[in-house]
């Protein structure tokens, strides 16, 4: 192959590349600060070139199911997917968990990165060429709690029956029993898979590529604290909420490489508050969460419950995500489903308590107090590719 170092200039005037496979790496690698000129007489495909600092984008040829099975219906919507970013996802298994913990105790390794939620911090370590995180498992994420200033009775039916609290009686995807609250555990850092929401419009050159994560990645990230002032709870909008700050700060910086960030575009995100449906304010975000209108916005239609069911990662259910395993809801990834935040906000009539919408494990939309930790995080991003 050809390697063009920083400060050098390479001119290719003729010829072609044959028998280049991904296993052998790129045919031409160009360091940042180098110059590569390909003239008309050369038959060089851009796919054979890797440029340092640039995100090499690939979209799947095959498709996977969006949503899953809920209320006796199975989704018939299939979408392409993209891998970008990495995040803790799979439990390592009991045997490797013991090995890693022994290695940690004896070697005292230095952490390479941290992943922070509201109540926990997970430290990343490299072991035998693979990245893992170590931290304390948290279960029992809340959907409703009592804040100072008012005694609130949760309306009957507000919390769906299948929002089960994750516990040691449940299992990770590999079949091992979940670690109980307060237990140290290790999870593997893996590439993130994202659903493509607008493949046809992107292919036609009409829109940038819109992606939503396949899995609910974590919970323990409240929408925002309740603010109680002058005898009432103050409204909270997406532009001011804690989840937006965390999404575009902690999450964005821990998940994506600098090269990947060059491909992520700022998205114009509308504030959505039930009752007035927003004030017309928008924000510019690299990472955001869906609204109640997401599927209609992307012209994805069907009975929403089977489109909206989503599975959690192992890491998510060890970070306060709910664990729905009632054998009636499932996705192509796993038979376990969970709840995830939407950005729509509202207030509980008569108490002025601030709420945000979430999708339950059964695919239905419900409300939770904005200060609660149970609904999970399922991000949306836009790629300028």
């Amino acid at each position: 192959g050809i390697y063009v170092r920083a400060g050098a200039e390479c001119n290719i005037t003729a010829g072609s590349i044959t028998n280049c496979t991904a296993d052998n790496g790129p045919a031409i690698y160009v360091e940042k600060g180098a110059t590569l000129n390909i003239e008309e007489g050369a038959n060089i495909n851009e796919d054979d070139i890797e440029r340092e600092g640039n995100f090499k984008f690939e979209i799947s040829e095959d498709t996977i199911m969006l949503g899953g099975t809920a209320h006796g219906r199975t989704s018939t919507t299939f979408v392409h997917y993209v891998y970008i970013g990495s995040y803790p996802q799979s439990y390592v298994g009991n045997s490797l968990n013991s090995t890693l913990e022994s290695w940690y105790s004896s070697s005292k390794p230095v952490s390479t990165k941290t992943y922070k939620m509201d109540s926990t911090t997970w430290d990343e370590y490299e072991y035998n060429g693979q990245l893992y995180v170590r931290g304390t498992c948290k279960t029992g994420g809340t959907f409703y709690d009592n804040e100072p200033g008012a005694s609130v009775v949760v309306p009957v039916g507000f919390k769906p029956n299948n929002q089960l609290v994750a516990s040691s009686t449940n299992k990770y995807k590999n079949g091992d029993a979940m670690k109980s609250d307060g237990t140290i555990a290790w999870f593997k850092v893996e590439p993130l898979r994202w659903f493509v929401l607008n493949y046809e419009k992107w292919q036609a050159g009409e829109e940038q590529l819109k992606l939503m994560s396949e899995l609910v990645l974590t919970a323990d990230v409240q929408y925002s604290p309740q603010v109680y002032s002058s005898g009432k709870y103050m409204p909270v909008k997406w532009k001011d909420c804690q989840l937006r700050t965390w999404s575009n700060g902690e999450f964005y910086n821990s998940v994506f490489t600098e090269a990947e960030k060059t491909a992520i575009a700022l998205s114009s995100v509308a504030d959505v508050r039930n009752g007035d449906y927003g004030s017309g304010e928008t924000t510019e975000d690299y990472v955001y969460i869906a609204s109640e209108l997401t599927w209609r916005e992307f012209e994805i239609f069907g009975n929403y419950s089977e489109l909206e069911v989503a599975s959690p990662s192992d890491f998510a259910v060890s970070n306060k995500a709910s664990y729905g395993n009632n054998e009636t809801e499932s996705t192509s990834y796993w038979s376990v489903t969970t709840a995830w935040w939407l950005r729509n906000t509202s207030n509980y009539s008569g108490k002025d308590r601030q709420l945000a919408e979430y999708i339950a494990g059964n695919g239905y939309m419900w409300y939770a107090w904005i200060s609660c930790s149970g609904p999970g995080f399922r991000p949306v991003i836009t790629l300028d590719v």
Side-chain angles (χ1 to χ4, degrees):
I2 300 172
Y3 195 105
V4 189
R5 295 193 178 279
E9 181 175 344
C10 177
N11 300 297
I12 302 177
T13 59
S16 62
I17 294 172
T18 59
N19 299 323
C20 179
T21 66
D23 292 339
N24 297 325
I28 304 173
Y29 186 85
V30 184
E31 284 189 352
K32 189 179 295 185
T35 302
L36 175 66
N37 299 314
I38 300 175
E39 299 186 9
E40 291 183 3
N43 183 21
I44 307 295
N45 192 316
E46 187 65 27
D47 290 341
D48 294 325
I49 305 170
E50 183 174 337
R51 303 176 190 272
E52 183 183 12
N54 285 357
F55 169 59
K56 196 163 182 68
F57 168 77
E58 291 184 10
I59 193 167
S60 71
E61 295 183 2
D62 63 321
T63 58
I64 53 178
M65 183 188 296
L66 173 65
T69 298
H71 307 284
R73 300 185 300 265
T74 298
S75 171
T76 58
T77 301
F78 286 76
V79 294
H80 294 274
Y81 57 89
V82 168
Y83 286 96
I84 180 173
S86 58
Y87 201 68
Q89 293 177 76
S90 300
Y91 174 58
V92 298
N94 291 338
S95 177
L96 183 54
N97 194 77
S98 297
T99 298
L100 288 169
E101 191 61 20
S102 296
W103 166 75
Y104 174 84
S105 298
S106 61
S107 301
K108 303 295 189 294
V110 177
S111 174
T112 56
K113 186 192 294 186
T114 59
Y115 300 82
K116 296 181 180 179
M117 290 83 203
D118 287 349
S119 64
T120 58
T121 297
W122 294 78
D123 295 314
E124 181 182 87
Y125 301 95
E126 184 175 348
Y127 177 80
N128 288 347
Q130 170 63 49
L131 294 176
Y132 302 93
V133 296
R134 176 186 186 271
T136 303
C137 298
K138 296 287 186 180
T139 60
T142 58
F143 289 76
Y144 306 94
D145 57 10
N146 287 321
E147 297 276 343
S151 175
V152 179
V153 178
V154 177
V156 174
F158 250 46
K159 183 177 178 181
N161 293 331
N162 78 330
Q163 290 310 307
L164 306 177
V165 173
S167 71
S168 58
T169 60
N170 297 319
K171 299 181 184 298
Y172 291 123
K173 191 170 184 287
N174 70 354
D176 289 343
M178 277 185 57
K179 297 296 184 182
S180 57
D181 190 78
T183 303
I184 298 293
W186 292 77
F187 295 84
K188 187 176 181 180
V189 178
E190 298 169 295
L192 284 177
R193 185 159 71 173
W194 304 73
F195 290 146
V196 177
L197 300 181
N198 63 337
Y199 179 77
E200 288 76 16
K201 287 190 174 182
W202 168 78
Q203 198 173 44
E206 297 174 7
E207 295 180 351
Q208 295 173 313
L209 202 64
K210 303 288 186 180
L211 309 178
M212 174 185 284
S213 67
E214 175 187 15
L215 301 179
V216 174
L217 302 180
T218 187
D220 193 24
V221 281
Q222 62 181 323
Y223 192 95
S224 215
Q226 298 275 4
V227 178
Y228 190 75
S229 178
S230 302
K232 65 177 182 179
Y233 289 96
M234 306 305 293
V236 175
K237 296 182 178 181
W238 168 252
K239 72 182 183 70
D240 303 315
C241 78
Q242 182 171 298
L243 184 55
R244 177 178 175 243
T245 300
W246 180 86
S247 301
N248 288 274
E250 173 63 35
F251 178 81
Y252 177 71
N253 290 317
S254 64
V255 168
F256 303 108
T257 66
E258 292 305 311
E260 289 169 335
K261 288 178 182 178
T262 65
I264 301 175
L266 280 169
S267 298
S268 181
V269 181
D271 178 66
V272 186
R273 184 166 175 81
N274 292 350
D276 62 9
Y277 290 92
S279 59
E281 294 177 288
T282 59
T283 56
E284 297 292 316
D285 299 324
Y286 289 110
V287 183
Y288 61 104
I289 57 174
S291 75
E292 185 182 345
L293 304 177
T294 293
W295 305 128
R296 278 171 277 182
E297 289 172 356
F298 293 107
E299 298 182 3
I300 298 172
F301 297 103
N303 292 299
Y304 288 170
S305 58
E306 69 264 27
L307 289 178
E308 296 181 333
V309 288
S311 287
S313 65
D314 292 338
F315 184 71
V317 295
S318 286
N319 280 282
K320 297 190 177 184
S322 60
Y323 191 104
N325 186 18
N326 57 11
E327 299 181 356
T328 59
E329 285 86 41
S330 64
T331 69
S332 59
Y333 178 81
W334 200 12
S335 60
V336 175
T337 60
T338 194
W340 47 286
W341 283 119
L342 297 175
R343 69 176 188 273
N344 303 59
T345 57
S346 185
N347 65 284
Y348 176 37
S349 178
K351 297 290 184 182
D352 204 28
R353 190 63 170 268
Q354 299 305 304
L355 304 164
E357 293 183 2
Y358 71 93
I359 299 299
N362 60 9
Y364 285 167
M365 189 276 290
W366 300 85
Y367 289 91
W369 303 147
I370 59 172
S371 54
C372 290
S373 59
F377 177 65
R378 192 183 187 191
V380 178
I381 61 175
T382 301
L383 294 189
D384 185 13
V385 291

